[in-house]
Amino acid sequence: MKVLVIGGGGREHAIVEALSRSERVSKIFCAPGNAGIAALAQCVPVKDTDVDGLLNFARENAVDLTVVGPEAALSAGVADAFRAAGLRIFGHSRAATRIESSKEFAKQLMQKYGVPTAAYRSFSDYSEALEYVSRRPFPAVLKYDGLAAGKGVVIAATMDEAREALASMLLDHRFGQGRVVVEDYLEGPEFSFMCFVNGDDVYPMPLAQDHKRAFDGDLGPNTGGMGAYTGLPFITEADREFAYQEIMCKAASGMVSEGCPLCGVLYGGLMKTADGIKVIEFNARFGDPETEVVLPLLESDAFEVFDAIASGKPAEDIRWSSDVAMGVVMASKGYPGSYAKGFAIEGADDAGCTVFHMGTALSDGRLVTAGGRVIMPVCRGRSLAEARRLVYEAVGRIHCENLYYRNDIGHQAL
Ligand code: AMP
Ligand code: GLY
């Protein structure tokens, strides 16, 4: 079977790596891929949102199955176009992707189908939004309802901060003409629950936890994620079962009832509050960097799993290793702000573990930095302490003058 993976980050490297272990797969293409992916797949220079380019490529190369990584490709309608052309694809329709691309759609879905989440209202009018905020407890959570390059969520501690944020979103239209969702602030540890979903069929993956802040001690600016691990000691089996039944399955069947069934990954960004587990956000795709610690634990054939979801067949019993995994993101100095690129990376091939490439390139045959998040060694262990010891040993073998990383990945568990 020939498979096309769309995307070019660490998440796609992990997808490609899982597919490369399948006996059913003879050839993997990745559009656009990266320098690490190039060791396992043929990288093709087609942008992940170039729907026509991707479709033509898949047709011309007789691709049997396409797997979509990024949300941008789904929002561009790549899955709709492939299905209309009779091609098999693992990824949601544009309508189903609204569970991620529109905060208001996601909140309405949760309210309608009884999925636990923070109380909210949504507004297009500045004065009405401000009036609502003044009646709710602080801090207030303000979320722009649309694409905002990760800057659309403001946690306002005071009325002044709320006024400023709402003015920038609803009066100055900093991100565009979207509405703003105002929701109550929740507290507790966050974790990520990814499931393979095909309509009403929901297949859970191991739970993972991301680390959003740039620096040790969960300090500094929000990032795309600085590290992840599986095996969360603070989530009980009862918590997991609740999250599976009352959140993931209910959301999936709600999407069926709404006429936009899911076909791919549903990612629940969840929080364990004193009042039970609640949804912070849904994503319509694999998480990054969570995928890099979860998919290495997949023992079933990855092609069979993706193919079953894409073709609407029940997936066979999906098996996972009982090991845990931990990964540390090594990012360019300055990230998530501005950073320079093109610094040589030494030792990535001899780190002694799987090293996923997030933003790398080859320059004159040398591996160099080419993004904000650059490279992520991932190690498995029987325990988190073992996985952590191994992964930080691997980090120590990778040298690059312009990279930094967190030293405390897993601190909530260890
Ligand atoms: P989101 O883009 O919705 O995932 O929000 C980004 C981050 O803001 C989340 O990962 C949380 O850490 C935080 N956050 C979002 N919503 C809430 C909430 N209702 N209460 C507390 N923190 C929140
Ligand atoms: N790691 C968070 C995300 O993928 O959205």
Side-chain angles (χ1 to χ4, degrees), residues 145-167:
D145 185 34
L147 295 180
K151 300 196 163 59
V153 177
V154 172
I155 303 196
T158 63
M159 199 63 199
D160 278 346
E161 283 178 35
R163 200 175 285 119
E164 190 184 318
L166 288 172

Side-chain angles (χ1 to χ4, degrees), residues 8-9 19 86 92 151 211 218 222 233 250 256 261-263 348-349 388 390 395:
L19 284 165
H92 313 295
K151 300 196 163 59
H211 297 62
D218 293 325
N222 259 313
K250 265 194 187 168
V256 173
L262 295 165
C263 174
D349 289 339
R388 178 169 70 167
L390 293 171
V395 166

Side-chain angles (χ1 to χ4, degrees), residues 36-352:
I37 291 173
L40 301 169
Q42 180 182 334
C43 296
V44 291
V46 185
K47 225 178 149 248
D48 60 7
T49 50
D50 176 3
V51 176
D52 290 337
L54 293 165
L55 196 54
N56 287 338
F57 180 87
R59 279 208 189 103
E60 280 161 18
N61 293 277
V63 166
D64 295 291
L65 173 71
T66 298
V67 179
V68 187
E71 187 261 349
L74 297 170
S75 280
V78 71
D80 307 78
F82 272 61
R83 277 191 204 105
L87 297 180
R88 216 180 302 159
I89 187 161
F90 176 94
H92 313 295
S93 66
R94 194 201 306 236
T97 303
R98 284 179 299 164
I99 198 165
E100 169 166 4
S101 60
S102 168
K103 304 257 183 217
E104 187 169 7
F105 176 86
K107 288 301 258 188
Q108 279 172 353
L109 181 90
M110 288 187 260
Q111 198 165 49
K112 185 163 171 187
Y113 296 96
V115 175
T117 188
Y120 86 105
R121 289 245 333 252
S122 92
F123 301 91
S124 58
D125 183 81
Y126 168 76
S127 310
E128 286 174 21
L130 206 58
E131 197 272 328
Y132 176 75
V133 169
S134 73
R135 287 189 286 113
R136 304 296 305 177
F138 275 89
V141 181
L142 314 172
K143 299 186 175 182
Y144 177 74
D145 185 34
L147 295 180
K151 300 196 163 59
V153 177
V154 172
I155 303 196
T158 63
M159 199 63 199
D160 278 346
E161 283 178 35
R163 200 175 285 119
E164 190 184 318
L166 288 172
S168 117
M169 293 184 201
L170 289 174
L171 297 178
D172 305 338
H173 303 292
R174 177 171 172 212
F175 305 115
Q177 294 294 328
R179 298 166 67 87
V180 170
V181 168
V182 179
E183 67 177 35
D184 288 354
Y185 180 79
L186 303 176
E187 261 175 304
E190 288 184 62
F191 62 102
S192 309
F193 194 2
M194 300 190 286
C195 294
F196 294 107
V197 182
N198 177 17
D200 278 317
D201 293 335
V202 181
Y203 304 94
M205 302 184 216
L207 301 176
Q209 190 181 46
D210 186 7
H211 297 62
K212 298 252 188 211
R213 302 297 199 99
F215 308 131
D216 287 2
D218 293 325
L219 299 173
N222 259 313
T223 70
M226 294 298 292
Y229 64 96
T230 69
L232 315 184
F234 48 86
I235 303 298
T236 65
E237 192 44 42
D239 290 336
R240 208 192 74 98
E241 187 58 21
F242 177 87
Y244 176 70
Q245 295 292 349
E246 300 300 319
I247 294 178
M248 306 307 287
C249 291
K250 265 194 187 168
S253 72
M255 292 295 279
V256 173
S257 306
E258 293 298 302
C260 44
L262 295 165
C263 174
V265 172
L266 177 63
Y267 166 121
L270 310 183
M271 188 184 271
K272 180 171 174 163
T273 75
D275 188 27
I277 296 183
K278 303 204 175 178
V279 177
I280 296 290
E281 66 165 348
F282 281 125
N283 291 326
R285 50 167 176 82
F286 280 110
D288 193 354
E290 290 93 329
T291 304
E292 291 93 312
V293 292
V294 168
L295 281 188
L297 302 177
L298 179 65
E299 287 184 341
S300 298
D301 183 303
F303 176 85
E304 305 268 357
V305 176
F306 292 133
D307 190 55
I309 300 289
S311 36
K313 292 181 299 204
E316 298 289 314
D317 172 37
I318 302 177
R319 283 171 289 103
W320 299 94
S321 165
S322 59
D323 283 356
V324 297
M326 186 182 289
V328 177
V329 172
M330 303 178 75
S332 294
K333 288 179 185 164
Y335 171 81
S338 60
Y339 52 83
K341 299 181 190 178
F343 292 86
I345 307 166
E346 311 285 348
D349 289 339
D350 311 305

